[in-house]
Amino acid sequence: MPRERQSVSDTVSWLSFPRQAYPNFYLNTERIRHRFHGYLGSITQFSESVENSGEVNASMKALFLDAGIKRGHGGSVNMAWDLIDPLPQALVLRAHLAAAGEVHTDARSAPVTDFVLARGRGGIAQPPQLADSPLWGEVGVSPSVVTEIAAEQRRQAAIGTSGDPAPLYWAAFANTDRGLVVSLLGDASLIGTDVRSYLGLDMTYCIFGQKLRDWHSWTLLSPLHVWVEPPGTANWG
């Protein structure tokens, strides 16, 4: 089932959290742009409701502006196409979907193509020897599941996409309360953070994307945004 609709107060609290507080591993700018534009009408209405709540601070207004949303004359909302930044777009998109009750936290029960936010202890296995990574055994993922993940990695690397043109795909995973969730991250869309410096650390992995399919004991998401947090209470929605 989708998560419950998020109140305006909760949304304001989430959006005001520093967006660079935790390392962002992956951002698929092409997919983010397409999804953001697809929801543009409802996102602009969402931004108006948040700004009209009276709880908006300067950093939150800057976040909306960086996503390309700005106030015109007479208070109308329009898009500033020359100001668009994909990370703020990803954050605003996810906040809008959460406020509308359209983000699942149980990937297993989510319908295919629906938006999912998977969060749990996890890791990231690097290519090209993904199947040989000792990480899988350390976290209790069975050899048969590793074989399935490696086969899907090879399949995606063979077909490629315009959003992920590089042939190398990292496997990020989160052990959630409802099972193992995996996303294959195109090397070309890894951003900023040195992913290798976090290999083997006890971190909470957060994967925001759309469900592709279920295997017997794991679920695959098409990733939009992937980041890590310290273990403990979630701060990012």
Side-chain angles (χ1 to χ4, degrees):
M1 297 292 291
R3 64 182 297 176
E4 295 180 357
R5 288 175 177 267
Q6 190 168 269
S7 69
V8 170
S9 294
D10 287 342
T11 300
V12 168
S13 175
W14 178 81
L15 283 172
S16 60
F17 192 82
R19 71 184 94 154
Q20 299 290 2
Y22 300 135
N24 294 286
F25 280 170
Y26 175 92
L27 196 69
N28 191 302
T29 57
E30 183 173 334
R31 291 179 194 155
I32 288 291
R33 183 173 65 252
H34 288 166
R35 306 312 184 268
F36 192 90
H37 290 177
Y39 282 89
L40 188 56
S42 54
I43 285 175
T44 53
Q45 292 176 358
F46 163 73
S47 70
E48 287 184 281
S49 68
V50 171
E51 292 197 29
N52 290 337
S53 69
E55 302 179 47
V56 177
N57 56 32
S59 64
M60 203 178 312
K61 289 181 179 179
L63 177 65
F64 282 124
L65 183 61
D66 288 344
I69 302 170
K70 70 174 185 178
R71 292 275 185 179
H73 295 296
S76 62
V77 178
N78 52 54
M79 288 298 296
W81 301 105
D82 57 332
L83 298 176
I84 292 172
D85 184 330
L87 179 56
Q89 279 199 338
L91 301 180
V92 171
L93 172 65
R94 182 156 54 85
H96 158 63
L97 293 170
E102 294 186 26
V103 178
H104 299 259
T105 54
D106 179 0
R108 199 70 182 176
S109 67
V112 172
T113 75
D114 271 23
F115 292 96
V116 174
L117 174 57
R119 178 187 278 111
R121 291 186 63 187
I124 186 166
Q126 63 188 102
Q129 288 80 34
L130 179 148
D132 299 325
S133 171
L135 176 65
W136 303 113
E138 293 170 5
V139 298
V141 178
S142 71
S144 62
V145 170
V146 175
T147 298
E148 292 172 344
I149 295 171
E152 180 62 19
Q153 182 220 33
R154 290 192 298 271
R155 188 188 73 83
Q156 290 200 22
I159 60 176
T161 68
S162 57
D164 284 317
L168 298 180
Y169 284 81
W170 299 61
F173 68 90
N175 276 309
T176 74
D177 293 340
R178 303 298 177 90
L180 180 68
V181 176
V182 177
S183 271
L184 296 173
L185 315 181
D187 191 72
S189 294
L190 294 173
I191 58 173
T193 302
D194 180 7
V195 175
R196 294 170 183 81
S197 66
Y198 288 86
L199 297 177
L201 296 183
D202 182 16
M203 301 291 286
T204 295
Y205 278 69
C206 306
I207 304 171
F208 172 55
Q210 290 177 273
K211 181 172 178 176
L212 286 178
R213 61 167 290 189
D214 290 316
W215 273 259
H216 177 69
S217 56
W218 62 285
T219 298
L220 181 68
L221 298 187
S222 174
L224 296 171
H225 182 202
V226 179
W227 68 98
V228 293
E229 301 174 351
T233 303
N235 288 304
W236 279 69

